[in-house]
Amino acid sequence: MRIPSLVIGDLKAAIPIVQGGMGVGISRSGLAGAVANCGGIGVISSVQIGFDDPDFEKNSEAANQRALRKHIRRAKEISPNGIIGLNIMVAVNNYDATARIAVEEGIDLIISGAGLPMSLPGLVEGSNTKIAPIVSSGKAAKVICKMWDKKHNRIPDLIVVEGPEAGGHLGYSLDDLNNDNKDLAQIVIEVIEEIKPYEEKYGRKIPVVAGGGVYTGKDVAKYLKLGAAGVQIATRFIATEECDADIKYKMEYLKCKKEDIEIVVSPVGMPGRAIKNVFMKNIKKKSENEKISRCYNCLKPCNPKDTPYCISKALINSVNGNVDQGLLFTGSNGYRLNKIVKVKDLIDEIITECEKEAE
């Protein structure tokens, strides 16, 4: 079977793979452009995107805005005919400004999670930018569709369903994650069912993309058979030549074992999945919180006075290769990475396996 394309309104990705946004700096223009060049959807992460700008320490907001424009333009230069998306966390303080800049720069798609993106339709109004909320339940998908329909007279162009096996901040409680009672396949089915009334009202399909633990072509075929229009893959793209992170960062994943991956609680109170490294071990040993000398004002729930450590600093250390002082987010299959490959070779492998599985 020939793998289907992913159609989002007037956008058409030849390969139904959305490369998940990874911050800080793991997926910028290099990785996003390479994925888009292969026919998938390349996604830049907006969070602290200007971390390597000379002005970042003095004025992080201005540095991030400059870097955002630069990386959207660069990704489009790398892949002039590809689809470039931007992942924006609802929890960031500069959400509205980030979305507006992305629209000004002609971003094709905005993907938004870590909260319910209720204001997003208004931020892209009048543009060709498509919008996609990230949800972790059928209930969340229904709430977003209902509110967007009521307040903005529109529905999502795409919905990304992230299951509990994803990396980074997760949309689940610790109890849900520890009890292992959430299954991505079941959530995808629930979301597809919940959005049907809105598809009927607006006379068009809302493509659903499944993410979180998707690793092989066999996984891709599984979710396509369930009715998903595509998949989101993030962690596997870390071990690519085009990934924007330092080589020392990538090597930590190649060394990682299954027992090295654990659920952690980030400084903003959200559970997440990360590699148990020197940094995480030291944080657990500390009886007092780290003294925060510089607040980057990045996330709404974070309070420098009572946070155990600065998550921006920890993630910036990681992307720069200072891994023993950094936080390493990963999906549940991060331990399966064993070599660094080109993006094209990775995508070709996944697609070949998917098509074989679907025969």
Side-chain angles (χ1 to χ4, degrees):
M1 183 191 90
R2 176 69 182 168
I3 192 166
S5 56
L6 173 56
V7 178
I8 310 170
D10 58 0
L11 298 177
K12 185 176 182 179
I15 304 299
I17 293 177
V18 178
Q19 163 252 309
M22 295 174 282
V24 169
I26 311 305
S27 62
R28 294 203 288 181
S29 51
L31 178 57
V35 173
N37 259 344
C38 293
I41 297 178
V43 180
I44 297 167
S45 169
S46 72
V47 61
Q48 303 294 45
I49 191 171
F51 72 90
D52 55 354
D53 187 285
D55 194 39
F56 182 74
E57 290 295 327
K58 293 181 179 179
N59 191 342
S60 56
E61 184 172 355
N64 285 332
Q65 290 182 0
R66 285 194 300 270
L68 179 60
R69 293 185 187 277
K70 179 180 76 173
H71 282 285
I72 292 175
R73 292 173 187 179
R74 183 169 179 263
K76 287 181 171 291
E77 288 172 1
I78 294 171
S79 183
N81 298 314
I83 300 173
I84 303 297
L86 182 72
N87 182 292
I88 313 175
M89 295 173 64
V90 176
V92 296
N93 278 313
N94 58 346
Y95 184 86
D96 288 9
T98 300
R100 289 191 178 103
I101 288 171
V103 170
E104 288 174 12
E105 294 297 331
I107 200 74
D108 296 306
L109 171 70
I110 291 177
I111 299 173
S112 194
L116 300 180
M118 293 308 187
S119 65
L120 186 54
L123 298 172
V124 303
E125 191 172 356
S127 74
N128 291 321
T129 299
K130 306 297 186 291
I131 51 177
I134 298 174
V135 303
S136 55
S137 68
K139 180 181 178 181
K142 181 179 180 179
V143 167
I144 290 170
C145 286
K146 182 178 180 180
M147 295 305 293
W148 284 14
D149 172 40
K150 182 178 179 180
K151 292 188 175 182
H152 302 282
N153 195 34
R154 71 170 295 170
I155 53 176
D157 299 298
L158 174 78
I159 291 178
V160 177
V161 180
E162 277 194 5
E165 302 300 316
H169 291 118
L170 303 169
Y172 299 89
S173 69
L174 282 173
D175 285 342
D176 285 336
L177 295 170
N178 291 328
N179 293 334
D180 196 29
N181 61 355
K182 297 289 183 179
D183 176 67
L184 176 59
Q186 184 58 42
I187 300 168
V188 167
I189 293 170
E190 290 173 2
V191 169
I192 290 173
E193 190 64 28
E194 289 287 4
I195 64 177
K196 281 182 179 178
Y198 297 94
E199 292 178 320
E200 292 172 2
K201 178 177 180 178
Y202 284 83
R204 64 177 176 86
K205 292 288 291 181
I206 304 173
V208 172
V209 166
V214 180
Y215 192 85
T216 66
K218 186 176 181 180
D219 295 332
V220 177
K222 170 185 175 180
Y223 291 108
L224 292 178
K225 288 176 183 177
L226 285 175
V231 298
Q232 177 179 271
I233 299 175
T235 300
R236 201 163 181 195
F237 282 107
I238 291 172
T240 60
E241 293 179 10
E242 296 91 341
C243 172
D244 296 277
D246 186 276
I247 185 62
K248 293 178 183 176
Y249 178 91
K250 301 176 188 181
M251 292 305 295
E252 289 299 297
Y253 290 80
L254 271 57
K255 295 188 293 182
C256 174
K257 297 179 176 63
K258 188 174 184 178
E259 57 267 27
D260 295 329
I261 298 175
E262 64 179 357
I263 300 297
V264 301
V265 177
S266 90
V268 295
M270 300 177 186
R273 180 174 282 104
I275 293 176
K276 187 167 34 177
N277 65 343
V278 172
F279 174 76
M280 290 308 305
K281 291 175 183 176
N282 287 339
I283 289 297
K284 289 180 179 180
K285 289 179 183 177
K286 290 180 180 179
S287 58
E288 296 181 0
N289 291 338
E290 178 185 87
K291 185 177 180 181
I292 309 298
S293 58
R294 165 78 166 88
C295 178
Y296 297 96
N297 195 35
C298 54
L299 298 175
K300 293 173 185 175
C302 186
N303 184 348
K305 293 181 180 179
D306 54 29
T307 184
Y309 62 91
C310 173
I311 192 168
S312 282
K313 182 180 177 183
L315 292 172
I316 291 169
N317 283 342
S318 291
V319 72
N320 282 330
N322 184 12
V323 292
D324 286 345
Q325 299 297 320
L327 179 61
L328 303 167
F329 278 140
T330 180
S332 62
N333 286 311
Y335 70 96
R336 297 172 69 177
L337 299 173
N338 56 24
K339 62 180 178 179
I340 296 175
V341 300
K342 290 183 179 296
V343 164
K344 184 180 185 306
D345 293 337
L346 172 56
I347 289 179
D348 286 348
E349 176 190 327
I350 292 172
I351 295 308
T352 299
E353 186 177 2
C354 176
E355 292 182 337
K356 184 177 181 181
E357 182 69 19
E359 286 178 357

